[in-house]
């Protein structure tokens, strides 16, 4: 696991979009069906917007019908 990142609330608000801030700092949920990741099918890797940790590979993404992107396994590079 990466070291804890310590920033003020003001710093987080400046670095993250309003949606990212709500999800990452206030335990919110991304908008259903409208996320930019939902329809993507290109190969690649998904990273945390706050700390940069590798979260998922596109090879584990699947269509769950829930309206949110779904993955069946976390990245193997997660510490």
């Amino acid at each position: 696991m990466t070291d804890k990142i310590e920033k003020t609330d003001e710093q987080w608000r400046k670095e993250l979009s309003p949606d990212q801030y709500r999800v990452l700092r206030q335990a919110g949920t991304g908008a259903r069906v409208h996320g930019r990741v939902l329809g993507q099918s290109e190969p690649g890797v998904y990273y945390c917007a706050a700390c940069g940790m590798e979260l998922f590979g596109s090879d584990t993404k699947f269509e769950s019908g829930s309206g949110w992107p779904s993955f069946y396994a976390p990245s193997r590079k997660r510490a």
Side-chain angles (χ1 to χ4, degrees), residues 2-71:
T2 60
D3 293 330
K4 184 176 180 178
I5 298 172
E6 297 198 26
K7 296 181 183 181
T8 66
D9 192 55
E10 184 177 326
Q11 288 172 309
W12 282 119
R13 285 183 186 272
K14 285 181 181 177
E15 292 182 24
L16 300 171
S17 73
D19 285 338
Q20 289 172 331
Y21 182 83
R22 186 174 39 78
V23 171
L24 296 168
R25 304 301 300 162
Q26 297 179 316
T29 302
R32 186 178 170 277
V33 182
H34 298 293
R36 65 179 195 215
V37 175
L38 184 62
Q40 289 187 0
S41 59
E42 298 84 23
V45 178
Y46 296 88
Y47 295 90
C48 175
C51 71
M53 181 187 300
E54 186 173 312
L55 300 174
F56 303 101
S58 60
D59 57 335
T60 65
K61 187 173 183 241
F62 69 98
E63 177 56 53
S64 68
S66 68
W68 284 279
S70 299
F71 302 86

